[in-house]
Amino acid sequence: MTPEEKYISSVPLDHRKKHAQFFTPPDIAHFMCKWILEQNEISSILEPAYGLGIFSRTIRTSCDVKIDAYETDDIILSHATNYIPKQVNINYADYLDSDWEQKYDAIICNPPYLKFHDYNNSKYILSVNNHLNTKLNGFTNIYTLFLLKSISQLNNGGRLAYIVPSEFLNSDYGVEVKKALLESGTLRHIIIIDFSQCAFNEALTTACILLCSKDDQSKKISFSVVNEISNLENSINNGININIDQLNPEEKWKKYYSETNIIKYNNLVPFSTFAKVSRGIATGANNYFTFNKSKIERYNIKDHCFLPCICHSADVSNQIFSNDEFTELANNDKSVFLFNGCLDNYDDHVKNYLKLGEDSGINKKYLTASRKPWYAIENRKPSPIWVSVFNRKKLKFIMNEAGVYNLTTFHCVYNISNLDTNILFSYLITDVAKEIFMDNSRQYANGLIKFEPNDLNKGYVVDLRLLTHQEKTFIQQIYDKLKCHYNELYVQLLDIFFRDKYTMNLHNIKYYTNILSKIKIELKKVKSYPTINHSKQLSLFELIEHYGIQ
Ligand SMILES: C[S@@+](CC[C@H](N)C(=O)[O-])C[C@H]1O[C@@H](n2cnc3c(N)ncnc32)[C@H](O)[C@@H]1O
């Protein structure tokens, strides 16, 4: 058993999470140590977040140089004492409080990964901003503070290796971090770790290794993705090199390491051209505010005090959510009613329930305490379309035909354009739409994908204003068919249609013709096909004609 395995088996996960103790796998530690040690002369090394000292232990197998280290958790330190190699000076102190003027030839770290609300960020963000003249904001994650401080502590010719979550490469708070990295002129390699067993599996985040060198030898940064540990060494030479002056910190850098879909399509515009995405209703105490029929009977509260509302994404299985489905959920005693005490707060039963809320402290919770009165429900209209917040593989859009409210399990999509909502929805359910939105996603480990409302507002869609009248009629007909009978084949037809209209070529004619021949039977009653008059290998219209779908 390694020291890390022993520690994991004896210390509860809660403690490890609180201190962000996710350990570097030995192979990765070895690779990172090799990078920092590959320089002519080294006389000082820093390990800012020691843990059980995987880096110091690895360095010691080939190098005797003195190592300074920092660690704030006495429990892990008491375990680490059994394995401290020679010449390692561990400070039981916060690295962010350490002397900025102390310089090192090599720095290596797997810093803590804590969101802004899990540590006292303001003091440290201010300190980094003062020292580096940056404008890091309050959302900045502590790992980027470690990174920027360490880079500033490198001696000329020195090297640094950090393993961090890749989130900052694509998030809003990361813009300032990327700016500072580019200005430092030290960043050489960004290696995205894409093993199925990811380095930070328990932390639910994708890791990347950053290799820096404080020399004037390169004006390029290489981006690479490594799918298995044995390819880590090669990643140094096999990345895509981008000139530093071409890298824009304002952009998501994901486009340099994952194939972007945006370049495949013509005429893309921001989704905000057509729609506004906002989060669903946050109650602050779902158990209290949501009701099923039995609970309504139990408290004897009248129906007019409730809003029909989807509270759990699992309750919606179809992509077109109808009134009938809502009634079925209600009859099956699912929690689909949202209590709004403001609708009749003179009623005795409502008063009793509000009193119960106050007796159990519901009125003192974070969200309720800030409302007036505490039991008021956010004023958010039902949206015609929902989109799921967490997604396993692809984004899921749902047509809210029932016109009911939704909690934060879905984001609300409001149509703010002249376009018919059915047309908008028919586009959103296609793979084309999902592929393009994926370029703006926040990826988590284990295939979990999260979209914040702004990821979608700022994401791209094809310019639906370019649809002709005939094309809109065609899409509307397909939507009507989907509404009667949801069949994936219709969605595939829509997908082919949008792919054909907004890409240069239909890339895989055989695949599309196959689908078309399957749809042929289904489509007998859709009469109005769009004519597309532009030079293509073979237009959708020609394909449809060819297969005689009339
Ligand atoms: C992600 S773990 C990495 C441990 C080890 N270096 C490795 O790679 O396996 C980060 C370590 O930093 C410690 N830590 C957290 N905040 C710190 C701080 N402000 N200064 C120094 N160490 C800190 C944690 O207790 C934890 O042991």
Side-chain angles (χ1 to χ4, degrees), residues 95-304:
Y95 167 62
L96 294 174
D97 284 328
S98 69
D99 182 2
W100 281 75
E101 298 312 315
Q102 185 70 46
K103 304 286 175 197
Y104 294 91
D105 296 327
I107 303 179
I108 188 159
C109 188
N110 169 359
Y113 167 59
L114 293 172
K115 291 254 161 75
F116 57 94
H117 40 69
D118 293 332
Y119 74 102
N120 174 12
N121 62 347
S122 48
K123 171 179 160 199
Y124 294 118
I125 290 174
L126 196 67
S127 149
V128 175
N129 280 342
N130 285 342
H131 279 93
L132 302 179
N133 216 4
T134 44
K135 295 191 185 92
L136 299 170
N137 67 30
F139 291 101
T140 308
N141 198 301
I142 192 171
Y143 71 89
T144 56
L145 302 183
F146 268 62
L147 173 67
L148 296 182
K149 177 167 184 179
S150 288
I151 289 179
S152 81
Q153 288 183 280
L154 273 183
N155 276 327
N156 284 339
R159 283 190 163 197
L160 171 147
Y162 256 65
I163 180 162
V164 294
S166 58
E167 184 187 73
F168 81 98
L169 298 171
N170 307 304
S171 69
D172 290 344
Y173 77 77
V175 172
E176 196 59 22
V177 180
K178 287 183 281 184
K179 208 184 274 174
L181 275 176
L182 290 176
E183 272 166 21
S184 79
T186 59
L187 184 57
R188 296 285 174 272
H189 298 276
I190 298 181
I191 303 163
I192 309 293
I193 307 291
D194 192 24
F195 312 154
S196 48
Q197 269 303 308
C198 132
F200 297 136
N201 243 356
E202 285 172 314
L204 263 193
T205 176
T206 313
C208 69
I209 297 173
L210 305 177
L211 302 179
C212 297
S213 183
K214 194 169 179 183
D215 55 42
D216 290 330
Q217 285 177 11
S218 175
K219 293 272 170 271
K220 291 190 168 138
I221 295 176
S222 101
F223 289 82
S224 49
V225 179
V226 175
N227 309 96
E228 45 188 282
I229 192 84
S230 56
N231 293 338
L232 205 46
E233 286 293 337
N234 295 340
S235 64
I236 297 259
N237 300 321
N238 294 345
I240 296 172
N241 290 314
I242 312 282
N243 278 333
I244 288 180
D245 49 18
Q246 283 176 356
L247 282 165
N248 179 353
E250 306 275 345
E251 287 178 355
K252 292 177 196 273
W253 285 4
K254 201 162 111 185
K255 67 176 182 188
Y256 299 113
Y257 59 83
S258 62
E259 194 194 334
T260 72
N261 292 301
I262 283 182
I263 50 171
K264 287 197 242 157
Y265 297 95
N266 296 326
N267 295 312
L268 296 185
V269 291
F271 189 36
S272 53
T273 314
F274 303 107
K276 178 166 171 29
V277 183
S278 341
R279 64 163 175 74
I281 297 173
T283 66
N286 285 357
N287 279 345
Y288 175 80
F289 285 101
T290 61
F291 280 65
N292 53 13
K293 279 195 170 175
S294 341
K295 188 172 165 190
I296 294 179
E297 267 171 38
R298 199 161 62 247
Y299 289 99
N300 212 356
I301 300 176
K302 297 201 182 81
D303 285 351
H304 68 263

Side-chain angles (χ1 to χ4, degrees), residues 440-486:
N440 264 33
S441 68
R442 296 174 188 217
Q443 298 260 3
Y444 289 70
N446 303 330
L448 204 60
I449 305 163
K450 184 177 186 194
F451 283 86
E452 297 292 354
N454 262 347
D455 295 333
L456 293 163
N457 284 321
K458 291 183 190 168
Y460 284 87
V461 291
V462 299
D463 191 347
L464 297 165
R465 292 170 299 188
L466 303 179
L467 291 170
T468 63
H469 177 70
Q470 192 188 12
E471 287 166 345
K472 285 183 190 160
T473 313
F474 166 72
I475 297 168
Q476 180 63 52
Q477 285 187 334
I478 302 278
Y479 177 78
D480 291 342
K481 294 200 92 29
L482 273 172
K483 203 173 145 185
C484 294
H485 169 58
Y486 200 92

Side-chain angles (χ1 to χ4, degrees), residues 49-65:
Y50 190 75
L52 295 155
I54 177 98
F55 295 122
S56 294
R57 291 179 354 244
T58 311
I59 292 167
R60 233 357 125 245
T61 57
S62 62
C63 161
D64 291 333
V65 172

Side-chain angles (χ1 to χ4, degrees), residues 4 19-24 47-52 54-55 70-73 76 93-95 110-112 142 146:
E4 283 75 15
H19 294 271
Q21 289 167 349
F22 300 103
F23 300 112
T24 313
E47 192 182 345
Y50 190 75
L52 295 155
I54 177 98
F55 295 122
Y70 289 84
E71 175 56 61
T72 43
D73 175 26
I76 204 165
D94 191 320
Y95 167 62
N110 169 359
I142 192 171
F146 268 62

